[in-house]
Each structure stands twice: as structure tokens, then as C-alpha cells.
Amino acid sequence: MTNTASEPTETDESVTEYEAQLNKVLADTDETAAGEDEVSLQLPSLGLSRRDFMKAGAAVGTIGSLAGCAGVMNNGEGNSGGSQNHSGSGDVPEHFVPPGEHDEYYGFWSGGHSGDIRVYGLPSMRELTRVPVFNREPAKGYGFDDGSSQMLEDAGGYTWGDSHHPSLSETDGKYDGRYIYVNDKANGRVARVNLKYFETDAITDVPNVQSVHGCCIQSPDTDYIFANSEFRTPLPNDGRDIDNPDKYVSLFTALDPESMEVLWQVEVDGNLDILDTDKDGKWALASAYNDEEGVEIEEMTKNDRDFVKAFNVPAIQEAVDAGNYREVNGVPIVDGTKGSSLNQGDEPAVRYIPTPKSPHCVEVTPDGKYGMVAGKLSPTVSIIDIEKLSTEPDSSKVIVGQPKVGLGPLHTTYDDRGHAYTSLFIDSQVVKWDIETAVNSPKQSEEAILGKIDVHYNPGHIQAVQAMSTEPTGDWLVVLNKLSKDRFLPVGPIYPDNDQLIYIGNDKDDEQGGMELVSDHPVYPEPHDAIFATKDKIEPAKTWDKSDYKGEKEYVTESNSRVDRVDDETVEVYTSVKRSEYGLRDFRVKEGDEVTITATNVEGSQDIVHGLVVPEYDINIALAPQDTREVTFTADKPGVYWVYCTYFCSALHLEMRSRMLVEPRD
Ligand code: K7E
Ligand code: CUA
């Protein structure tokens, strides 16, 4: 550990303060929980004193000397051996992918507040590319040409986003390789990335919500995209009810996966958090906290339980079709609050499933039988039996298991052999457990636990290969750790995250349940989640297909490169682009003209990309083979402006130029 202990008192103070805060939350829970039913936190059954819990929590809360010990503290049981061993044991298959060879899996990471999607290969963990989504990206010209900048403008004109939950489109429960959908937690948006071109092709700014956190496709056939608003706000949020937090609402939103239009929303009590669906197109499950509907932390953590919401999608659609809604900002809003008449009867629109307070997430098993709700503040995972959602009228009986897994459970993923893997934020571990054993053993018991492995440090999401589809393959697991601390060369006070690759293909009977840590990978902050598909699921185009934009943009050849003057103040410039020349060696416009340049890369050979940039005009477009892009600007500065290519495309790349000649308008 490079951070040495015992200097700044400010650090100590913040630890003490954090301890006090958590202590208060737990004390309240403890008191109200006494003598109550099994959904309470039940700290005594942890087998740990509250003091131990506090210490672990404090270490998490402060990126100081104590926090460096988070992993170490939990090594007391001597299960750290394998985690120091980067090469793994002889049972781990080769994860080094030699030069020139390809990975077995595509991995798609949400970039967090970098706003993008990162594409990695697995098991090499090599970053292959980034797909800008909510962010502008000069390296790919995204947010610079007319098409993408207009899309960003129409989606609210924000300059950034916070991408969290990437979801791959499915057909019949299997990844179909068409799209990734991802939310913007910051500005309440949902975007779609086209996996033929690895390019964002749609962004929807969801009305009536401020922040979209949970986001997923509906299994098995991607009939809807669902999005949860985490923050409760007045409806509409136009200045009314500012001082009336009771009137704030949280909405569950359905979008059309093709048009990306918002279809309807459902209003609920409490807030909404993360989402997953069953595998039959009926239930969407949303974790939730703040059933208290408080606006300050003390209010949000007062009660010892919250409610997972189960949305009955056909019933909601029926209510919408029957006109059973109110409309706000053009969106039908269905009443899904606890007392709603739509929630009565055999097919309630929304069911409220009681869980321990502040659960974090829901992830449905690949066979669609169970939805796992990680406890976060509770050391348990609550197992929802999805079939019972349709058959069991008593909501508290829908939870059919509740294994005690460890401290700070956040996310759960699956292999192909009936095992679940849960990240433990506070323990800095991954726990492997057996699903059917957990269902068949008493709640709060540890019978289902098969082993734990240390990770470094404070894991958030974990994801196993193909685990969100009906076809998990069960050999690799990635743990997205929030902190890297002393794992890499220091790079200043903002550290990389540390994504760790774990082999899970061996069900060995050891302390780690056969899990083996094989490699560490620093990642640029701060990815939130990832999803993995076998390489055969994704079939990207190698060059553009001009028929994909036929009728929208002209395919400009060398012979039709030209300057069209539309009127006294509007000019259209058309140029082809190839090694090592532009179709126009120069072009002439007048000061004050609105200029639109349409440029086509006429080359057919793969990987020959050209740029077209105009210095001092902030123009920067990138053109893959057979692609056409447009850019519009005002030529407000007279003079000579060299147009050049940004991609090193040939031996004559530097000579690949044109000139924009802007004549003074007298
Ligand atoms: Cu758990 Cu935004 Cu998916 Cu982060 S959420 S950990
Ligand atoms: Cu084209 Cu460099």
C-alpha cells in the first residue's frame, strides 16, 4: 500500500462523520426491525458486530488511508491466495490473446460520465474502440457533422451524459446483434447504438423525467425499451409543487425500439431504480428505494423496507389502449400508485413487493425463473419467483429465498450451471452461490454460498459472459471495481478504475468456489456496467453501404464534385474524397455565405478512413469508406483556409489537401 496512514485529521473527521451517518441509518433499522418479519435488516444475524459493519462502511466512504485496507480487512479468513496470482492456476484456460488473433467475446462497457460506450475484447480485455453516444468525440467526428450534431441538439443540446446500463437487443431471448440501448442518467435520455456501424443513431430525451437510471430491453423480443426515472419531480416540472415533495413522482417509461418514441409512462409511489425483465414479455422488475418519498437522506432511510415494483406490461398496455390514463406533455401516464384501481384484481398493473430497505438492483436469471434483488444495506439477496407474480396474491410470498451473501451486495450475474455471482461492495468480494439451494434453504442462511473471492476494491457491477440472455456461457466474469488505489502506477489524484477478469469455468470445491482472478485492467473513469456477447452474435459492416443513406445524402463522385450556388448567401459544396485528394482542389465562397460541404469517401477498401477538416472554422468530419457526411457553417472570415485530412491514409497523406477561398464581400 502506498498511501500511508495517520496524517490528516480531516480524513479522520470524515470517517467519523460517515460512521455516524451509517450508524444512524442502521440504528433506526434495528429498532423498527425488532420483532418484525423476515424482510428486516436483522443485523444480529450477520455474525458481525455493528462496529465491524461500520468500519467496513467507513473504509468504503473515504478514499484515504483507511480505504486502502478495505480488501485487506476482509482477508482475515485467509482466502486471498489466488487473488494475488495474476497468471492463475493451471486450470484457467489461456486468456492471453496472441498478436493477430481475435477474442472470443465482444464486451460493451457503459463509460459513465464520459457518456460513451467502450468496446473491449474478452478475455484479452483489450479496448477495441469507443462509440460516442452522449458526448462529442473529435476522433470520430461525432457531434461535428450535421447529422450527429443535429441529433444531439434535438435530444436537448446537452454537452455530456452519464451512460450506465447497456442492453443488447434480443430475438427469442438471444442477442441478435442489432442494437445496444443505453440510458443517460444525467439528463434523462435513452440512446440507441447501431451495431452494423457501431454508431449512435437515435437519442430520445424522455419527457416528464429528470434522470433515467434503470434501462433495459424487454426480453425475449425487444418489443419495448424500458427506462426508470430515479429522481422524483413535480409533474409537470414547470415551477409548481416545488415545496410539495409529496407531489413529486417517479415514472416508468416505455419506448418503441424502432421509432425510439415514448409510448407511455407509469406513475408509482416511492422512486424507481434499476430494471430487468422476465423472459416472457410480461413482467418488468424495478428495484426502488425511498418508499418514504423523502428528499433528504435521513428521510429516505427512515423505514426498514422498500418495495420492488413489478410492472405487468400487457395490463399497462391494455389500460393505455382503453384510454385509462392522463396525458402530460403529450405522454399517456397510467396510475400505478399503490391505491390505483388498476392495481386491483387478477392482473394488477403494478405489484409492490416488500424487500429490506434500499435494495440496489434486479437481475433476472437466464432461465427467467427468478429475479434477484441485491440488498445493498441488507447482507442478503431477495429471490423473487417470477411465476408467482402471476399466481400468488400475497406480495410478501413472492420472495422465495433470501440467502445471506455478505456486506453491501449490489449486482448479481449468472453462469450456465445454476450459479449466481453477487458483488459485495463493502466486503470487496464476489460471492458465488447456488440458486436452487438458496431457494430451498431458510432465509438468512449461508447454505447456498459456494465461495468468495477478493477483488480490489469496492465492486459495483459484475457481469458474466452472455448472462443477460437465455444463453449464458459461464466461463468469464468481469468485476467493475470502483477503486484501483495501489494497483497501477500513480497518475494523479483521479485514478483509473480497475476492471478484473475472473475465470468461473471451474466449479472447484475450494474457498473461492473455483473462481480464479486472472488479470487486472485499468480503465478510464468511470464505467458502470458491461454486457458481453460471443463474437458470432455481432456482425459489423466493414465499409458503409451507400444504400443505407440513399435519398438522404448524395453519394459524391469525383466527376460530380462541384460548387452549387443556391442564392446570394447559400452555397453547396460537393466533394469526393480518396487517397490522396479531394474531388475539389479548391472551392470559392463569399464572406457571410452559409456553406454546406457534402463529402463522400469513394474508396471501397476497408480501414481507409479520411478526414475533412477546416482549420479555424471548427470543422472536423471523419469519413469511413463509402460514407457520406455533411457539415454546415457560416464562412464569416475572409481568407485562405487549407482543408486537410486527419487520418494518416497514405504516403501522400500530408499532401492530401484542398483550399477554401473565402472572398471578402464588399
Ligand atoms: Cu449499480 Cu448506475 Cu448500475 Cu452503478 S448502478 S453500481
Ligand atoms: Cu486521407 Cu490522410
Side-chain angles (χ1 to χ4, degrees), residues 164-165 183 185 213 273-274 360-361 410-411 459-461 482 528-529:
H164 270 226
H165 299 117
N183 68 302
K185 170 161 164 149
H213 194 197
D273 201 12
I274 305 186
H360 187 63
C361 195
L410 289 189
H411 292 282
H461 277 272
K482 299 297 188 191
H528 272 261
D529 190 7

Side-chain angles (χ1 to χ4, degrees), residues 502-530:
I502 292 179
Y503 183 67
I504 55 170
N506 283 332
D507 292 327
K508 273 194 301 191
D509 188 16
D510 60 15
E511 279 164 336
Q512 299 182 169
M515 292 182 283
E516 192 92 48
L517 175 62
V518 295
S519 58
D520 273 25
H521 298 273
V523 283
Y524 194 69
E526 171 177 304
H528 272 261
D529 190 7

Side-chain angles (χ1 to χ4, degrees), residues 290 293-302:
N290 194 19
E293 304 196 332
V295 290
E296 290 174 14
I297 185 168
E298 291 78 10
E299 296 164 354
M300 293 186 204
T301 52
K302 223 158 52 191

Side-chain angles (χ1 to χ4, degrees), residues 239-349:
R240 74 187 68 190
D241 298 325
I242 290 176
D243 294 314
N244 248 336
D246 304 352
K247 293 238 171 127
Y248 299 0
V249 302
S250 186
L251 297 169
F252 170 75
T253 299
L255 297 95
D256 182 293
E258 295 300 324
S259 70
M260 290 292 282
E261 277 165 21
V262 171
L263 300 170
W264 40 258
Q265 297 180 309
V266 182
E267 178 185 342
V268 296
D269 289 318
N271 75 350
L272 291 166
D273 201 12
I274 305 186
L275 257 172
D276 199 5
T277 74
D278 69 6
K279 305 292 186 190
D280 298 315
K282 181 170 182 183
W283 296 101
L285 301 174
S287 61
Y289 57 92
N290 194 19
D291 185 53
E292 302 85 345
E293 304 196 332
V295 290
E296 290 174 14
I297 185 168
E298 291 78 10
E299 296 164 354
M300 293 186 204
T301 52
K302 223 158 52 191
N303 301 346
D304 67 324
R305 70 176 63 199
D306 271 290
F307 294 89
V308 163
K309 278 90 173 172
F311 294 92
N312 182 339
V313 177
I316 294 164
Q317 186 64 58
E318 207 171 289
V320 173
D321 294 344
N324 210 339
Y325 58 80
R326 67 173 160 144
E327 198 173 304
V328 180
N329 288 320
V331 183
I333 298 187
V334 172
D335 183 4
T337 55
K338 282 178 194 153
S340 168
S341 60
L342 293 170
N343 291 345
Q344 320 306 321
D346 289 346
E347 291 290 344

Side-chain angles (χ1 to χ4, degrees), residues 170-186:
E170 293 178 8
T171 300
D172 196 23
K174 303 169 172 69
Y175 299 143
D176 60 22
R178 300 176 67 217
Y179 296 112
I180 289 182
Y181 298 86
V182 66
N183 68 302
D184 170 12
K185 170 161 164 149

Side-chain angles (χ1 to χ4, degrees), residues 610 645 647 649 653 656:
H610 299 288
C645 170
Y647 284 79
C649 52
H653 157 74
M656 182 174 172

